């Protein structure tokens, strides 16, 4: 068994990881990440690797947050420009923005930092069995809900049971750790008998049907925020949480007001801000709002606004990410049910050229398989080469010798660069005889049909693992499988990769997984993009997270 912080006993696989690091097969940062997943405290893992522990985490105090800033000033209101969205049911959230509004109220078992290392949050530590099929989580003692109730394993059990309820439709069932707690019964996937074992008020054990290394990382996916055992939607009507803030007002499309909880000692230590105010602005207007002095920080600005951002008196924060735009096909709908049509579209597009057009100064070229170079298990495939003649031949073979006409739905949910990508595709596809109509719609309307449109441009946020996003988006039958792709052999290969600790073996398995998805041509994915935000110089500790998660526990404002 492995432990986090409180025991000297190491997981049996940690010596194997140390040997791989010593032999050069595993980088020191990869060692830290894997060791932390296996239950080694993050600070201890950094020490084993001979690396300094990051300033944004208080590893020695077993906290996921930065240590207290001796220069910090208490009080004040942080005003942030971001889309203000409904707060219905955290388990079914599909936008990072609504999770940001909620993240200051609800918390997670774990927290994955900008360094891609997962630390305890509401859990104090965890243990994994040698075969990675049994995971035991030990909860922090003394954690209170803001209604005065104790946080216990009954709350955790309640959440897991909710996620696995087939009537809820939570995307969490696409996570490998949750899927391994379920079974097929009467045509539905439901929780297996005996999958969850409550040991006591602060100890809970999960019995998985397969080995999963990423269980702790899965617990910081944004729909895994833990609600009170009395929860009934909408969350905005009864916002009981363990976090340092509570909800005062949420007016969709206008404002979300959060106020620091009083009368209950917060388990996470000092919190400096009195209030957090989110004001509704779309991405293309957030920077101009900041320029006018109406807000202290923003959610993001687009690359096309970089010169304006540089001219402003603020701190630009950039992060390399796996955030991407998938111009994806539903493989069950005509004409995309013919793989030759999909392959023709993919071959007629030059991803590298589109990337340079849209993000010339940052980001990575997408490879049409959704695993990004920043992911630790990424296997570099041969570069994609545009081949218009091959595209025409495939179209003719599929019964379209004179070309065909298509429409892609675009919501610009991350800004107007989505439309730029689609229009660049349109221009390139003309050479292969394909007419592409670009249907631009409001972001809110796109999210109503994102998983229904036969051809749509969908933004996917960053996940720390490529296997995590593949499980969420492409496994047979999972809620977020917008392509309707189904390949049981591919599913099994993904299972094997997720259960493989040896990094070289894992990457070797990923080569086939990435190649099969790429060859099946379920998407055009031109870019893995960086993200940019900006904060006033009076704001300290504003986090740079590749997933754009807001965790403002240690943010403060100078007067």
């Amino acid at each position: 068994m492995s432990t986090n912080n409180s025991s000297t006993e190491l997981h049996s696989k940690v010596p194997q990881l140390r040997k791989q690091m010593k032999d050069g097969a595993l980088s020191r940062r990869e060692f830290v990440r894997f060791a932390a997943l296996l239950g080694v405290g993050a600070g201890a893992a950094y020490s084993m690797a001979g690396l300094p522990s990051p300033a944004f985490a208080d590893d020695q105090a077993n906290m996921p947050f930065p240590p207290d800033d001796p220069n910090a000033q208490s009080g004040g209101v942080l005003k942030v420009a971001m889309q203000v969205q409904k707060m219905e049911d955290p388990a079914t959230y599909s936008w990072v923005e609504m999770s940001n509004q909620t993240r200051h109220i609800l918390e997670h078992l774990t927290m994955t930092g900008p360094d891609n290392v997962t630390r305890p949050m509401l859990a104090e530590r965890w243990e994994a069995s040698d075969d990675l099929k049994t995971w035991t989580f030990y909860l922090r003692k003394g954690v209170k809900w803001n209604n005065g109730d104790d946080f216990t394993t009954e709350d955790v059990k309640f959440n897991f049971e909710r996620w696995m309820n087939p009537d809820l439709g939570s995307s969490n069932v696409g996570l490998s750790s949750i899927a391994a707690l379920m079974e097929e019964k009467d045509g539905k996937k439901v929780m297996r008998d005996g999958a969850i074992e409550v040991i006591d008020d602060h100890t809970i054990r999960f019995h998985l049907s397969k080995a999963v290394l990423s269980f702790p990382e899965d617990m910081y996916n944004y729909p895994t925020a833990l609600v009170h055992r009395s929860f009934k939607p909408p969350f905005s009507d009864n916002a009981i949480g363990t976090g340092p803030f509570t909800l005062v007002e949420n007016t969709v499309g206008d404002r979300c007001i959060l106020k620091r909880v009083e009368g209950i000692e917060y388990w996470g230590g000092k919190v400096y801000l009195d209030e957090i105010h989110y004001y509704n602005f779309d991405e293309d207007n957030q920077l101009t709002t900041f320029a006018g002095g109406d807000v202290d920080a923003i959610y993001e600005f687009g690359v096309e606004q970089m010169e304006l951002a540089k001219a402003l008196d603020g701190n630009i924060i950039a992060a390399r990410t796996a955030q991407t735009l998938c111009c994806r096909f539903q493989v069950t709908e005509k004409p995309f049910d013919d793989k030759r049509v999909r392959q023709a579209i993919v071959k007629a597009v030059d991803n590298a050229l589109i990337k340079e057009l849209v993000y010339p100064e940052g980001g990575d070229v997408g490879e049409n398989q959704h695993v990004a170079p920043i992911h630790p298990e990424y296997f570099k495939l041969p570069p994609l080469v545009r081949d218009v003649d091959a595209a025409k031949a495939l179209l003719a073979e599929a019964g379209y010798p004179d070309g065909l006409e298509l429409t892609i739905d675009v919501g610009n949910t991350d800004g107007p660069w989505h439309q730029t990508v689609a229009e660049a595709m349109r221009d390139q596809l003309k050479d292969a005889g394909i007419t592409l109509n670009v249907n631009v719609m409001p972001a809110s309307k796109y999210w109503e049909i994102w998983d229904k449109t036969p051809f749509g441009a969908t933004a996917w946020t960053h996940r720390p693992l490529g296997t995590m996003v593949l499980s969420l988006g492409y496994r047979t039958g999972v809620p977020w499988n917008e392509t309707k792709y189904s390949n049981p052999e591919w599913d099994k290969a993904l299972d094997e990769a997720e259960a493989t600790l040896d990094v070289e073996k894992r990457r070797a398995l990923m080569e086939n997984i990435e190649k099969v998805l790429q060859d099946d041509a379920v998407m055009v994915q031109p870019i893995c993009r960086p993200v940019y935000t900006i904060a006033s110089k009076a704001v300290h500790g504003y986090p740079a997270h590749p997933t754009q998660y807001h965790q403002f526990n240690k943010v403060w404002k100078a007067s």
Side-chain angles (χ1 to χ4, degrees), residues 278-303:
Y278 285 108
Y279 294 103
N280 188 78
F281 290 93
D282 291 333
E283 275 80 354
D284 53 347
N285 295 324
Q286 290 172 13
L287 190 61
T288 53
T289 302
F290 177 84
D294 296 323
V295 294
D296 304 301
I298 69 173
Y299 178 68
E300 81 171 314
F301 66 85
V303 64

Side-chain angles (χ1 to χ4, degrees), residues 9-221:
E9 184 183 358
L10 296 177
H11 192 283
S12 63
K13 296 187 185 297
V14 173
Q16 175 188 340
L17 289 171
R18 294 183 79 169
K19 184 178 186 304
Q20 290 179 359
M21 179 177 63
K22 184 178 179 180
D23 293 344
L26 187 70
S27 74
R28 291 190 294 171
R29 294 196 178 277
E30 288 172 327
F31 168 82
V32 171
R33 180 187 154 264
F34 281 118
L37 290 179
L38 293 174
V40 178
Y46 270 100
S47 179
M48 287 181 189
L51 292 171
S53 186
F56 53 75
D58 194 358
D59 293 327
Q60 301 306 313
N62 191 26
M63 287 288 180
F65 314 120
D68 291 340
D69 186 341
N71 299 313
Q73 299 178 22
S74 294
V77 176
L78 181 70
K79 299 179 181 180
V80 184
M82 185 184 77
Q83 289 184 13
V84 174
Q85 301 170 343
K86 63 182 179 180
M87 301 163 74
E88 186 74 18
D89 189 333
T92 61
Y93 281 2
S94 56
W95 283 54
V96 172
E97 287 93 329
M98 61 179 66
S99 80
N100 281 342
Q101 295 166 215
T102 306
R103 189 170 293 104
H104 310 290
I105 308 167
L106 295 183
E107 298 178 310
H108 297 250
L109 279 177
T110 66
M111 179 175 163
T112 303
D115 59 347
N116 215 31
V117 173
T118 301
R119 296 170 173 84
M121 195 176 195
L122 289 176
E124 183 179 57
R125 59 187 178 95
W126 57 83
E127 298 175 351
S129 62
D130 288 346
D131 63 3
L132 303 179
K133 289 185 178 181
T134 303
W135 290 81
T136 305
F137 281 77
Y138 300 87
L139 306 185
R140 294 184 189 272
K141 295 178 181 178
V143 175
K144 294 279 189 180
W145 295 95
N146 60 26
N147 69 348
D149 289 347
D150 290 327
F151 170 70
T152 72
T153 47
E154 287 302 321
D155 294 299
V156 178
K157 182 172 180 282
F158 171 79
N159 279 269
F160 274 74
E161 289 175 342
R162 283 192 79 242
W163 300 340
M164 290 183 276
N165 184 339
D167 296 330
L168 181 62
S170 173
S171 65
N172 288 334
V173 300
L175 296 168
S176 297
S177 52
I178 305 302
L181 297 171
M182 304 178 74
E183 64 181 355
E184 191 85 23
K185 186 178 290 186
D186 300 327
K188 288 186 175 181
K189 287 187 176 181
V190 297
M191 186 177 78
R192 290 184 0 260
D193 291 340
I196 301 177
E197 179 186 0
V198 173
I199 308 298
D200 56 40
D201 282 353
H202 294 92
T203 311
I204 189 167
R205 184 167 292 148
F206 302 96
H207 299 278
L208 281 59
S209 60
K210 62 181 182 180
V212 176
L213 176 62
S214 63
F215 199 118
E217 278 172 325
D218 287 349
M219 292 304 101
Y220 196 52
N221 191 43

